[in-house]
Amino acid sequence: MDVSALLGFLESLSPVAQALVAGLLTWVATAVGAAFVFSARTVNRRFLDTMLGFAAGVMIAASIWSLIEPSIRMAEAQDMIVWLPAAVGVLLGGGVLRLADALIPHLHSGAPLSEAEGPSTSWQRVTLLVVAITLHNIPEGLAIGVAFGAAATDSGIAVGATVAGAVALTIGICLQNLPEGMAVSLPIRGEGYSRLRSFGYGQLSGLVYPFATVAGATTTLLIRPLLPYALAFAAGAMLYVVIEELIPESHRHGHADPATMGALVGFTVMMVLDVALG
């Protein structure tokens, strides 16, 4: 990916259009991961758990550098209680995801059907798997949209929020979407579905990204005074996904050590991206 060309193209667009392009790219990244189903029926579980750990590390770093830190700096610049928006936003973001978990039937990848969460349902296992990843993807899309929206506001610019920083977040999410696409399509293939249908289900979980990114950017532009809260809200939702889903899933099959190392690598990669580009 030519980052400079992408950055130049995005800077010529409106914030909402920037968010839409970023959302489409993250959807494509999910589809690329899901496309591994055309070359393999299964994937080495140790490798997949390591990559899930990598995804967790990316999301933790993105939450800190791309969302929580700017939230704190904006609160300071606006003469708010410095820690309040970040604290409230993180707890609210996690709380909303917890509510969604309780109200929407879903099943995490690798878990038996008996461990499906949410209300009882007659939905098939495949549907529950796709719903789980879709719930996971919504806060990521919102975070990207909020980052692009922040880069277009006076308060965001004042504390260093830039399109380059939003691009760094987008690249980080794209990287961690590769194993997520595999985590959906390959288990479905293993249950006997065709390669094409397994791919279709795998990429379907990423379809939410363009809608979530546009929603995040639009909301940010409409409620500019609440931007510090919006940034922290997106961070809290992503942290909830990491703690509730990604880390437990990456440790479920006895590969805790490689998954932990993957998380450290993912954290470092996202930190470098954010500092270098942001």
Side-chain angles (χ1 to χ4, degrees):
M1 181 184 294
D2 188 336
V3 177
S4 60
L6 175 61
L7 184 57
F9 170 68
L10 287 173
E11 287 179 337
S12 69
L13 303 176
S14 70
V16 174
Q18 291 169 351
L20 176 60
V21 172
L24 291 172
L25 287 175
T26 48
W27 179 18
V28 168
T30 303
V32 170
F36 276 84
V37 76
F38 291 112
S39 59
R41 185 185 180 95
T42 60
V43 67
N44 180 279
R45 190 70 234 185
R46 181 186 179 92
F47 170 76
L48 185 55
D49 288 343
T50 302
M51 293 305 294
L52 288 174
F54 177 88
V58 167
M59 290 178 69
I60 293 171
S63 297
I64 296 171
W65 271 276
S66 299
L67 300 168
I68 294 175
E69 185 182 22
S71 170
I72 292 171
R73 285 190 274 119
M74 284 183 194
E76 184 176 21
Q78 296 177 26
D79 292 326
M80 297 179 178
I81 299 173
V82 176
W83 52 265
L84 185 61
V88 172
V90 165
L91 293 176
L92 188 59
V96 168
L97 260 289
R98 174 65 189 93
L99 185 62
D101 265 0
L103 296 179
I104 302 174
H106 60 284
L107 178 68
H108 297 309
S109 177
L113 191 57
S114 61
E115 293 184 13
E117 299 179 21
S120 298
T121 179
S122 60
W123 292 355
Q124 295 182 345
R125 178 182 176 86
V126 171
T127 304
L128 293 170
L129 286 170
V130 173
V131 170
I133 299 296
T134 302
L135 284 174
H136 172 163
N137 291 344
I138 289 173
E140 296 173 12
L142 289 174
I144 292 172
V146 168
F148 278 106
T153 64
D154 292 339
S155 58
I157 294 171
V159 298
T162 63
V163 173
V167 168
L169 176 59
T170 302
I171 293 172
I173 298 298
C174 284
L175 288 174
Q176 63 104 39
N177 278 357
L178 297 174
E180 287 185 7
M182 288 188 283
V184 178
S185 64
L186 290 171
I188 292 173
R189 173 62 177 157
E191 293 184 13
Y193 287 83
S194 69
R195 295 182 190 276
L196 184 59
R197 193 171 182 185
S198 299
F199 167 77
Y201 280 122
Q203 64 81 33
L204 184 62
S205 64
L207 181 59
V208 71
Y209 277 112
F211 299 97
T213 54
V214 168
T218 303
T219 302
T220 298
L221 295 172
L222 291 175
I223 57 168
R224 299 186 184 209
L226 297 179
L227 183 53
Y229 292 91
L231 287 165
F233 177 92
M238 290 213 298
L239 289 172
Y240 179 89
V241 169
V242 170
I243 298 166
E244 196 269 343
E245 179 183 344
L246 287 183
I247 291 176
E249 171 57 21
S250 68
H251 289 207
R252 180 188 292 271
H253 305 93
H255 303 133
D257 289 342
T260 300
M261 291 307 300
L264 292 174
V265 171
F267 184 94
T268 303
V269 168
M270 186 63 231
M271 177 183 66
V272 170
L273 278 173
D274 195 82
V275 174
L277 294 179

